[in-house]
Amino acid sequence: MVLSSLLAGLIVAVVLVLAPLLPPKENILTGAVLLGLASGWALLAVLSVRLTDQPQRWAAVPAAFLALSGLGTITGSGPVRAVFGWVWPPALLVLAVWALLRIRRQVDSRGARWLLYPILAVLAVAAIAGGYETVREALDARAYPPPGQLVDVGGHRLHLYCTGSGSPTVVLEPGLGASSADMSWIAPVVARDTRTCVYDRAGRGWSDPVDDPQDADQIAADLHTLLTEAQVDGPYVLAGHSFGGLYVRDFAAQFPDQVAGLVLLDSTASRVRPSAVNAQAPTVGRVLTVVPAVAHLGVGRILASSDYESLPAGVQAEARANASTSRQLASTLQEYREGATSVQQASALTDLGDKPLIVLTAGVGHNPAWQSAQTKLAALSTNSLHRTAADTTHVSMLQDQADSAAATQAVRDVVASVRSGKPLPTR
């Protein structure tokens, strides 16, 4: 009865996530999971009272706790959920200890007890991890305030940080899963020559999260609104790394008169990957919506703990703190899910005319098909260069000080070409 009741609750939780019964939003689907698990505990309490001589009425308490948590997650506002983040870890820990004592007294079956003990252990670990993550996020918010400004772009704010002076303005666009911190080697060097801006897309760094699909069209439109509202004047030289290359190409297609040049740093090319197509399946998308909830248990912090080691020392902890949050993980998965759409949208840019364009490709870790796609990107302009950064990987092109020199030089060369009106140097 213990096994069947809890399995039934798990099945209900899975059905609520996979079936198109609820809107695919993180708080709603996470709350649905909690309600499904609550139904399993409730079933144990009811069936044990009606069908056995060992009533387990105590099971109604975890059922009520999970049900209230689920309803609060679904219906509560952002501030309410923030407060709840401080309440649920100690409450869950107390519940796990209380339930352990009840089980030892009221469950006669040794097999049933050993089915329940691991579940209580998981709840206790989740409570401790959740409490630790809540405290760490609060400390991180105080330790790492945004270096730039938060600008309202229509219902949510994006973080923008500009340094240097001069024209054209360089806007740096990091890749999938990255934030403005990933440009920490490139931005200061480019800012010596001209005004240079880094920003965080929705849900990244210090920017607000959104529920809307984050495809290339939406990201480019948000960036345009951000620059307009912040009064960052063009013309712009846009430099995009990896998926960021899709977004700057889309921006150039939507706002061609404001773009003076492009730099594509080991950019994703116009080729739809099967994994990106699969990510657009409704069932997969609903599962990906729930995944960021694990960051509330510190999973994101564990994953980020070994990253960013090659960034400047003052940026590493800040980058890890931002990468640990559920909003950053959700933003990454949103962009990944829209990957195939973003590739198609970026393909709208077919001709840059004679605007300077440098395509910089990492020399390590790519197959011939990637290299060929990079060469095709260089054909977008009659004033273009395709360079290969020897001994450089896709990640080290940004995050390693020595390897980032090639990317920095590419941006500076495009800026110089825009200013002088002369073709790009052939070196």
Side-chain angles (χ1 to χ4, degrees), residues 241-265:
H241 175 254
S242 191
F243 259 47
L246 298 175
Y247 307 145
V248 300
R249 286 163 53 203
D250 190 285
F251 189 103
Q254 290 192 51
F255 314 102
D257 295 339
Q258 299 183 40
V259 176
L262 286 183
V263 182
L264 300 178
L265 304 172

Side-chain angles (χ1 to χ4, degrees), residues 151-158 208 210 212 218 221-222 225-226 229:
V151 181
D152 193 315
V153 297
H156 63 282
R157 301 171 304 165
L158 297 183
D208 295 337
V210 293
D212 299 328
Q218 183 60 53
D222 270 0
T225 303
L226 172 65
E229 293 297 322

Side-chain angles (χ1 to χ4, degrees), residues 3 17 53 59 86 121 207 219 221 243 281 302 344 377 396 423:
L3 181 62
V17 170
D53 59 356
W86 289 94
S207 294
I219 289 170
F243 259 47
I302 294 173
Q344 294 169 352
L377 288 177
S396 71

Side-chain angles (χ1 to χ4, degrees), residues 384-405:
S384 68
L385 293 175
H386 181 195
R387 296 173 179 170
T388 299
D391 302 322
T392 298
T393 68
H394 185 72
V395 175
S396 71
M397 181 178 287
L398 260 60
Q399 294 192 4
D400 181 82
Q401 184 176 15
D403 290 354
S404 68

